[in-house]
Amino acid sequence: MKVRRLMGTMVLVMALVAGIFGAKAPDASARTTTKSVTLLKGEKYVVSAFLGKITSVKSSKKSVMAVKKNSSLKATCTAKKAGKATVTVRMTGGTVYRYKFTVKALKLQIKLHSVNYTTGSVNTTSNIALEIVNKSGVYIPTATYKLRLYDQAGSELETKEHSVSDLVPGAKIYKMITYYGNPVGNIKLIGKVKGTRYSDRKYYNYSKKVKVTTSKSGSTIQVKMKNKTKKTVNGEADVVFYNDNGEIIYIRSCSFYLKSKESTTTNVTLYSDIQNAKYKIFKRAYTY
């Protein structure tokens, strides 16, 4: 009986020892971090290893976000189409990074607003006013697009790349381009619009939070922009001038960078051809 008791005690002690020394203690540094990221279709997001090395990568929806392990220190996520997907990156030591991606399709509406002409001694200048609206639902700092110009008979005149900046979702932007030669009758968007963003930033539309007022004095219009928020905002106020036919004849953009409750003023000179022209203000502002 004593022998059995002794053996039972030894087994219990051995089990406790195995529990204390044999089992692997949990890694205190192991943790899960979640981050939300918005990308445009075609953009890439690079994940770099900070703690340990990358052991595996996985996408919950490869058709939306593809992910590739480039090395033990880097993985590349590529936005394939509009939608949502979660990319999980596992590291040595048990650390897990989860990236919740929202992919947006770049939708830029570019249409011809009007064309007015100035006849010179050698050729005609076509002042082409474009109306641009960002319908992507996400702020885009810069976008490039290619336009093909046609004359009034439908023959091709020129194909050229142009750019536009500060594309706040839903805000109208008016841009003037000029062509010297035969009068332009129409335009066509060629190829895909390309956008550039900083995917690790969250942008917010603050267009309604900036108040713009104007006052006219002689040959000058004073444009005052005031930030009514506690945030620092960036943006532009476009002063768009029209002739009696409703055609845009001149555009002056007033950029601003305003701290909380701050205001700034820009003077717009009224040249002889816009001295008595009607004008409208189109503003757009953002923060991050």
Side-chain angles (χ1 to χ4, degrees):
M1 182 68 69
K2 291 182 179 180
V3 173
R4 289 181 179 178
R5 288 179 181 177
L6 179 61
M7 291 180 65
T9 302
M10 290 178 66
V11 169
L12 179 61
V13 171
M14 289 175 68
L16 290 173
V17 170
I20 295 172
F21 297 102
K24 186 178 180 181
D27 186 352
S29 65
R31 59 191 178 93
T32 298
T33 301
T34 302
K35 184 176 182 179
S36 297
V37 181
T38 299
L39 296 178
L40 289 173
K41 178 184 174 182
E43 286 187 312
K44 296 182 183 296
Y45 186 89
V46 177
V47 178
S48 298
F50 295 103
L51 297 173
K53 296 180 180 181
I54 298 173
T55 58
S56 67
V57 294
K58 183 180 179 181
S59 173
S60 65
K61 202 167 186 179
K62 296 179 182 179
S63 61
V64 174
M65 286 298 305
V67 59
K68 179 182 179 182
K69 179 184 171 184
N70 305 104
S71 68
S72 62
L73 299 177
K74 188 174 75 171
T76 302
C77 308
T78 304
K80 307 295 287 185
K81 71 175 184 178
K84 293 186 178 183
T86 299
V87 170
T88 302
V89 179
R90 297 186 182 277
M91 314 286 291
T92 53
T95 299
V96 178
Y97 291 96
R98 286 195 175 93
Y99 297 88
K100 293 185 175 181
F101 287 102
T102 299
V103 180
K104 301 276 189 177
L106 177 55
K107 296 179 182 177
L108 212 60
Q109 177 182 287
I110 302 174
K111 64 180 183 180
L112 178 64
H113 180 277
S114 59
V115 184
N116 71 84
Y117 309 98
T118 303
T119 303
S121 57
V122 178
N123 51 37
T124 299
T125 301
S126 298
N127 302 300
I128 307 159
L130 304 175
E131 181 183 278
I132 303 172
V133 182
N134 173 15
K135 292 185 174 272
S136 305
V138 60
Y139 172 79
I140 303 172
T142 306
T144 58
Y145 55 95
K146 190 176 290 185
L147 288 182
R148 182 166 293 165
L149 308 183
Y150 298 89
D151 64 17
Q152 295 173 343
S155 298
E156 182 182 336
L157 294 172
E158 178 187 76
T159 299
K160 191 176 180 180
E161 190 172 85
H162 303 273
S163 63
V164 60
S165 59
D166 292 334
L167 290 149
V168 173
K172 288 184 178 180
I173 299 175
Y174 289 95
K175 187 174 178 64
M176 183 81 79
I177 61 176
T178 57
Y179 176 77
Y180 304 97
N182 293 334
V184 173
N186 203 358
I187 65 167
K188 185 178 180 181
L189 183 65
I190 302 298
K192 295 182 179 180
V193 176
K194 299 178 182 179
T196 302
R197 298 181 62 252
Y198 304 100
S199 55
D200 58 339
R201 294 180 182 176
K202 286 188 177 180
Y203 293 91
Y204 301 93
N205 187 351
Y206 268 45
S207 299
K208 294 182 180 180
K209 303 295 184 180
V210 174
K211 184 178 180 180
V212 180
T213 57
T214 62
S215 58
K216 186 176 179 181
S217 177
S219 60
T220 301
I221 292 177
Q222 189 179 70
V223 183
K224 183 178 181 180
M225 295 147 288
K226 184 176 181 179
N227 178 12
K228 300 189 293 181
T229 75
K230 295 181 179 180
K231 301 278 187 177
T232 297
V233 298
N234 301 265
E236 288 196 8
D238 295 332
V239 188
V240 183
F241 294 85
Y242 303 82
N243 62 19
D244 293 337
N245 297 322
E247 299 168 337
I248 295 176
I249 54 176
Y250 183 68
I251 301 172
R252 170 66 188 278
S253 295
C254 307
S255 300
F256 55 81
Y257 173 83
L258 300 172
K259 295 181 180 180
S260 175
K261 306 298 181 180
E262 192 176 41
S263 63
T264 187
T265 301
T266 300
N267 290 327
V268 178
T269 301
L270 297 174
Y271 302 106
S272 58
D273 55 342
I274 61 171
Q275 188 76 47
N276 299 310
K278 296 179 181 179
Y279 66 91
K280 292 181 181 179
I281 303 291
F282 296 90
K283 61 179 179 177
R284 55 192 188 278
Y286 66 92
T287 189
Y288 57 83

